[in-house]
């Protein structure tokens, strides 16, 4: 871990609805995350964990507040610039894997490279092959998600998240659909990824997982306790 702040959030608020139907999902969240950290975000259901992760990953925008990523003011970026940042700088892992059943493992993994004209087909395949070997799913490259185990699906999703060599991995309950052993295997993979100075942010309800991270950020009623 370095002393460089990769994510700086100041006074982040997120509201849904209006007037008497207004819901404050996040309220004045201020926190910093450093390059190379592995951070857990915990909190009760409805505390704003996924909303915060979506804002960090440029999938959503705050109602108010400041978000600086890698020295860039995200609020000042155009939709196209945010989309480019989302693709280049972030890898996403979710609880239900979000794989496309009609695509093979290989095609699911390489999907984020579809719009990257800087890479040749061979370069994309080489990256995918390296990841599949590392994650022990090379023998499944031509298989489809419907025949994979839960652990194999999540390894495929992790490879997809890593294919563009992102600066930050955002994992939303990555072990929620797995048994205890498969879940710990996934956490070990994320820890090994983190050792290469990739920042990892995990939303989890599992204290055993949180204890394996550098630190834990607790969300309560939309407020962050750092």
């Amino acid at each position: 871990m370095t002393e460089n702040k990769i994510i700086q959030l100041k006074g982040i608020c997120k509201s849904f609805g209006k007037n008497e139907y207004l819901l404050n999902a996040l309220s004045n969240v201020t926190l910093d995350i450093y390059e190379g950290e592995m951070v857990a975000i915990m909190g009760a259901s409805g505390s704003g964990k996924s909303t915060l992760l979506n804002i960090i990953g440029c999938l959503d925008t705050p109602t108010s507040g400041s978000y600086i990523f890698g020295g860039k003011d995200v609020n000042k970026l155009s939709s196209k610039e945010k989309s480019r940042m989302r693709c280049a700088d972030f890898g996403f892992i979710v609880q239900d894997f979000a794989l496309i059943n009609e695509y093979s493992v290989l095609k699911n993994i390489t999907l984020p490279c579809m719009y990257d004209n800087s890479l040749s087909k061979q370069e994309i395949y080489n990256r995918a092959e390296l990841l599949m070997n590392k994650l022990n799913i090379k023998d499944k490259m031509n298989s489809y998600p419907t025949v994979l185990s839960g652990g194999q699906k999540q390894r495929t999703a992790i490879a997809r998240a890593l294919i563009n060599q992102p600066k930050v991995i955002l994992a939303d309950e990555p072990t929620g659909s797995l048994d205890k052993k498969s879940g710990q295997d996934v956490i070990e993979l994320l820890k090994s990824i983190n050792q290469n100075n990739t920042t990892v942010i995990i939303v989890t309800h599992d204290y055993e997982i949180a204890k394996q991270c550098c630190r834990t950020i607790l969300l309560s009623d939309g407020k962050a306790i750092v």
Side-chain angles (χ1 to χ4, degrees):
M1 187 183 78
T2 72
E3 291 301 314
N4 296 324
K5 297 175 183 177
I6 190 168
I7 291 166
Q8 297 171 269
L9 303 175
K10 187 173 182 179
I12 292 291
C13 298
K14 181 63 180 181
S15 301
F16 299 95
K18 59 183 179 179
N19 301 329
E20 67 268 29
Y21 300 108
L22 188 67
L23 171 65
N24 294 314
L26 295 174
S27 180
N28 197 34
V29 172
T30 297
L31 60 89
D32 297 327
I33 294 175
Y34 293 83
E35 287 181 2
E37 270 198 300
M38 185 166 175
V39 178
I41 298 176
M42 299 193 74
S45 179
S47 60
K49 302 185 299 297
S50 294
T51 300
L52 178 60
L53 210 65
N54 288 340
I55 287 173
I56 290 173
C58 298
L59 292 169
D60 202 353
T61 56
T63 305
S64 60
S66 169
Y67 175 20
I68 306 296
F69 178 81
K72 294 181 181 178
D73 188 339
V74 176
N75 294 344
K76 293 181 179 179
L77 299 179
S78 66
S79 295
K80 190 172 183 179
E81 287 170 327
K82 287 180 184 178
S83 179
R84 192 177 297 121
M85 176 182 283
R86 189 164 57 240
C87 186
D89 294 327
F90 296 99
F92 299 88
I93 305 168
V94 296
Q95 179 177 342
D96 63 359
F97 319 123
L99 301 176
I100 298 174
N101 287 333
E102 293 76 22
Y103 288 179
S104 68
V105 164
L106 177 61
K107 191 168 182 180
N108 267 286
I109 291 170
T110 59
L111 198 59
C113 298
M114 185 178 294
Y115 302 105
D116 188 348
N117 297 323
S118 67
L119 297 173
S120 68
K121 287 184 178 180
Q122 187 61 50
E123 287 172 322
I124 293 170
Y125 176 80
N126 289 345
R127 283 191 185 185
E129 184 179 40
L130 191 67
L131 288 168
M132 288 187 292
N133 282 328
K134 183 177 181 179
L135 296 170
N136 296 318
I137 52 172
K138 175 71 182 297
D139 61 326
K140 302 294 182 183
M141 64 181 290
N142 294 316
S143 299
Y144 290 82
T146 51
V147 302
L148 302 179
S149 69
Q152 289 167 340
K153 288 178 182 178
Q154 196 58 294
R155 287 169 180 266
T156 301
I158 290 171
R160 180 185 58 195
L162 292 172
I163 191 75
N164 277 343
Q165 301 174 347
K167 296 175 182 176
V168 179
I169 292 291
L170 300 174
D172 195 351
E173 297 284 4
T175 65
S177 297
L178 304 175
D179 60 63
K180 189 169 184 178
K181 181 184 182 305
S182 297
Q184 185 57 39
D185 288 344
V186 166
I187 295 305
E188 292 300 328
L189 285 170
L190 292 176
K191 286 162 70 175
S192 69
I193 292 163
N194 173 246
Q195 287 172 359
N196 293 324
N197 209 42
T198 300
T199 304
V200 178
I201 304 173
I202 304 174
V203 164
T204 182
H205 65 275
D206 191 329
Y207 285 98
E208 292 302 314
I209 290 174
K211 286 194 299 187
Q212 298 177 67
C213 297
C214 300
R215 63 185 171 111
T216 298
I217 296 166
L218 179 63
L219 285 185
S220 179
D221 296 325
K223 295 182 173 64
I225 303 168
V226 182

